[in-house]
Amino acid sequence: MEASKQFSKIMQGKLWKFFGGIKPKELKRTQDTPIEELPIPALITIPLDRHLGPDGEILVNVGDYVKTGQVLTRPGGTRYVPAHASTSGTVTSIAMSVLPHPSGFSGLCLTIKPDNKDVCVDFNGISNFKEVSPRELINIIRDRGIEGLGGAQFQTATKLQAAIDEGNVCNLFIVNGAECEPVATCDDRLMQEKADEIIQGVDIVAHILQPKLVLIAIEDNKPNAIKAMSLALQKREDLKDLVQIRVIPTLYPSGAARNLIKILTGIEIPYSEHTSECGIVVDNVETVFAIKEAIIDGKPLIKRVVTVDGSSLHKKGNALIRLGTSVRFVLTNYNLIPQRKQRIILGGPLMGFTIPSIDVPITKSTTCVLAPSTNDMEFAPPEMNCIRCGKCARVCPSRLVPYQLYAYSKAQKHNEAKKCGIDDCTECGCCSFVCPSKIRLAAQFRKEKAIASLIAENQYRNLRAKERMAIRNERLEKEAKEREAKKKAALARIAMQKNGTDDAQLKAKMIEEARARAKAKREAALLKQTETQATNIDPVEIKGNMLMSNAGLRQEAKMSIKLDIALEADTALQENSNIKAALPFNLRQGAVKKHYQGYNATNREIVKHTQNVDIIEYKGVHTAIESMDKNVAITTQNNILNTAKKLPLNLRKDKNQCKLQ
Amino acid sequence: MQITVKSAKQNLGIETAPHIRDNMSTPRIMLYVIIALVPAFITTIFFFGFGVLWQFVIALISSLICEVIVAFLRSYKLKHHLADHAYIVTALLLALTLPPLIPWYFTATASAFAILVVKHCFGGLGQNIFNPAMAGFIFLMISAPSSFYQTYVTPSAYAYKIASLDASASIILEGRDPQELRMQLKANLENADIITGATYLESIKTAKKSGIDDQINNIDFLGHDFNAYFYLALAYILGGIFLIATKVILFQMPLSFLITIFIGGYIWHNLAPNVSLSGIEHLLCGGTMLAAFFIITDPVTNAGTSKGRIVFSIFCALLILLIRVQGSYSDSVAFAVLLANATAPLIDVLTKRRSFGIGYKKGGLQ
Ligand code: SF4
Ligand code: SF4
């Protein structure tokens, strides 16, 4: 009952406030420059990794002729969308190429040499979408490659699907026209110029979701867009009751989905929940526009509006750019006069990233291309000590205490950082913006999250390895038992043959029993050990000399005639292999050697040495590790070090970053 | 996945987001604090003489030397290390709180203690648990109580004429006996005889203890003898307003602090008039105003979140009342602040902010 009261409040236009937020200079200089379409560039590069998935398929070959809008990939699974050719031409290569990423990663890209004719495939639009079922519409949206154009590039079809899946009812559809990033004006211009089409798009989404209410949220620094949208809405009698335009106060980051939801509904959706499962769907205006194009005109998503701004450019404005156009082409068209160490930023000044190369394509997530001069945006000044002024905590929209998080993260205390809520951080950059000591808080959090995900991945792998280890141990045990049984039978046979008397039989039986007892004892001890051992990684062979010792033991066992020795060696071997597996990763190779070096033994001596003492020694190591407690702690620490190399460049130690600069 | 040769050659600037920053910086915050202290500083010179200026110079030189030593020991870049101006603020606060005529080596030691031990032994700016200026003050008060009390002067208008630059220099730097100058300054008052101690606070405490407080009661803070307190408070408020306007401090902190002191003092005075000062006296005397705007608002040594800071202020105010009325020292601000500093981490824990999305009901909007 209370919830519906909430809903009526929302209907009446009540606005809430989210915690924190900042008011940076808006810098929206391109608010009044109309969107202009950029010409066809000399080369189109389309990154494919978001369009393939695990078992996707590239549908064209090098040398093929493709038309504008032709499907290039068939993605595996519904989590990905197909890629489309953004102009007609010949496919010249399918190879690794630099991606628009802060570290300059390369990934699989498809390159098209345009023929400048722009020959289109036939677009089959649906004029009367109301007769098509939502499910089909969603499939069309997916096939036309629609993804979130607000920057996050979340797949729209999946979002819509989740909102109407069984059990979920969509009550509220929010069109996000907040555009809170400074400088960015692409959504603003689009609303001013294509208001009617956006409303049509809203109509389509409303048909799919059947919400009780649609809100179009626009920040109050866009009066023209508000006017245009209201006009367009007035023309549509049928949508009047359903759709409302909400003017919200200008505050960064009100455009982030959860913050926008808080403003419009007063509900805080925890970061652990999906918004679509809460009966609320948020989509960017440009995405809604793309949905309209996809459904009504049948056009796939091959162009997007990008704000091009910055004092190093002679011309500024909003450009309709074909996806895959290189940033270099865009900048050339806008007359870049580069400075020393010119920064090129993809995305807004608060969340965008500088790119190390301008030969990267524009993708669906590119909202802005900025080429700021130092007058515009200064280079980051050196960091000073945190004075705990608490400004960062006052602006964090996720209600975190950034300086605390930062301290934990810097000290590599990942668990504490997690407890403090690092997962809630949206990397919005508010904290870095206000910090008087100019500490790069948001950058540290980005890094921390990357490290945390690496650790999580490692832990997952460890777990898997543990499982495998357990299975292996079981198998070994079974095998040992079988061997034992065989040996017993053989022994009995020999005894029978030799003595043939009852007396001898009895004796043999007694011996056997005694042995069985001894064995049971040994096994119990063994079991105990297997239980307590720190099995974290698949048994890795310990390096040459250890292997040799094992092999030696094994051979000895084989050659020995005496049964008891064989048994002994068998157990020893087994014990040995158990201990071997018990060693944590960091102690396996170099550490083992080091351990022995402590005894002043050369490598060759170790071989001899180990043949006699290894078991004892290993036990020593083993207990030492156990007492050190928690393999995970050790291995994760160790793995971080190991995986540091795998970290993307921007996430590595600052040193490297400096080097890059 | 690696940096290609091509990309490395383009020589573009790389930097982490966000690319724009607020123009408020730590040096600027410190500068604002210094500016905000100027009116109070001038007023203090007017009522206490030029001794304060000497103290400031000595404290500044001493802390500067200490900072240089620290920068050298920790191999920091000197320019970067000195850029934060925090040591100037510490020196200013020390000069304002220490007795104006205390010999220079005391000031220098207090300042060195504040910088080296209280600040840098804990890890430098931002890591210190205790307020350096207050800790330096207490260090001196405890280790050299007699010279501490012998060098405090009674505030009177135009004191700077009597305690001129030369006169105070001869005491502070050359070690002449301060008694003569102190008497001169006291003679400046109209009713010098009702002040038994150096300051009003000290005198009234003695009076209340011995049960004869009629004379000194109900004094006029606008009158000739006691307007020093009034104008000093005004100067601090002026500086405080400047800090609030420039968003360096939260207005909630001094407000809750002063209100607590006033109401607490008022109630206590009404319950036991011959034990406690009245509310207004609590506000104007001693270091209340200085503490309200410049000491408890020190970001480093108080609680983290806004809520925690208000709790901190109120707690500190209550401590001041308690120590002032029941303690044996004449003023209690420094002790109360240090005690409150020590509880700041606890306050931090107790006032932990709820995380985003608490109270969310499954199913969201219905
Ligand atoms: S804003 Fe910067 S200086 Fe202030 S508390 Fe946060 S991290 Fe520290
Ligand atoms: S970047 Fe993270 S910690 Fe900083 S303000 Fe944004 S959400 Fe809060």
Side-chain angles (χ1 to χ4, degrees), chain A residues 428-500:
Chain A
C428 65
C430 290
C431 47
S432 292
F433 177 84
V434 294
C435 177
S437 291
K438 311 296 171 202
I439 297 170
R440 330 274 196 259
L441 296 152
Q444 180 70 28
F445 300 152
R446 222 167 286 140
K447 189 162 143 185
E448 173 69 29
K449 281 173 140 184
I451 292 174
S453 70
L454 266 176
I455 291 174
E457 197 182 304
N458 275 329
Q459 260 168 0
Y460 172 72
R461 276 208 221 119
N462 282 352
L463 217 67
R464 288 283 312 278
K466 246 185 204 171
E467 275 166 21
R468 280 204 303 274
M469 183 67 204
I471 291 169
R472 194 190 112 111
N473 277 348
E474 231 167 67
R475 201 190 64 223
L476 284 180
E477 219 164 277
K478 216 168 108 194
E479 276 172 14
K481 261 185 199 155
E482 274 167 13
R483 256 200 313 276
E484 198 85 348
K486 266 185 200 164
K487 271 167 202 158
K488 250 187 231 168
L491 195 76
R493 259 204 318 279
I494 292 166
M496 284 273 267
Q497 272 172 7
K498 265 190 180 170
N499 298 325

Side-chain angles (χ1 to χ4, degrees), chain A residues 399-436:
Chain A
R399 310 184 64 96
L400 302 174
V401 185
Y403 65 84
Q404 212 173 13
L405 265 182
Y406 182 81
Y408 283 138
S409 169
K410 270 273 173 185
Q412 302 260 330
K413 296 197 171 165
H414 306 292
N415 287 339
E416 272 89 343
K418 200 164 187 125
K419 255 183 242 154
C420 279
I422 185 91
D423 294 337
D424 286 359
C425 171
T426 54
E427 298 164 21
C428 65
C430 290
C431 47
S432 292
F433 177 84
V434 294
C435 177

Side-chain angles (χ1 to χ4, degrees), chain A residues 69-70 84-85 123 143-146 293-294 298-303:
Chain A
Q70 187 175 331
H84 297 87
F123 296 137
D143 291 343
R144 300 276 195 267
I146 312 287
E293 296 246 288
K299 281 189 202 160
L301 180 55
I302 52 169
K303 292 173 192 171

Side-chain angles (χ1 to χ4, degrees), chain A residues 38-44 87 112-114 116 322 324-326 329 333:
Chain A
L38 236 54
I40 299 171
L43 212 62
I44 290 276
T87 189
I112 301 171
K113 174 105 192 74
N116 285 329
R322 273 162 216 276
T325 306
S326 79
F329 182 79
N333 264 283

Side-chain angles (χ1 to χ4, degrees), chain A residues 268 278 349 358 388 437-438 661, chain B residues 10 14 19 26 302 357 360:
Chain A
E268 272 181 15
C278 309
I358 54 172
R388 298 193 359 125
S437 291
K438 311 296 171 202
Q661 279 181 355
Chain B
Q10 289 185 355
I14 303 270
H19 306 282
T26 302
N302 64 24
Y360 166 77

Side-chain angles (χ1 to χ4, degrees), chain A residues 103 171 268 273 278 342-343 349 352 356-359 378 383 388-389 393 399-400 403 433 436-438 661, chain B residues 3 7 10 13-15 17 19 21-22 24-26 80 125-126 300 302 304 309 353-354 357 360 362 365:
Chain A
S103 305
N171 288 311
E268 272 181 15
E273 300 272 337
C278 309
Q342 174 65 50
R343 285 160 296 171
S357 161
I358 54 172
D359 294 307
E378 279 183 358
E383 288 183 5
R388 298 193 359 125
C389 64
R399 310 184 64 96
L400 302 174
Y403 65 84
F433 177 84
S437 291
K438 311 296 171 202
Q661 279 181 355
Chain B
I3 289 267
S7 63
Q10 289 185 355
I14 303 270
E15 123 191 315
H19 306 282
R21 278 162 296 271
D22 206 12
M24 187 53 108
S25 66
T26 302
H80 182 56
L125 178 66
V300 179
N302 64 24
R309 288 190 176 183
R353 96 170 17 149
R354 71 170 178 87
Y360 166 77
K362 206 83 178 145
L365 186 64

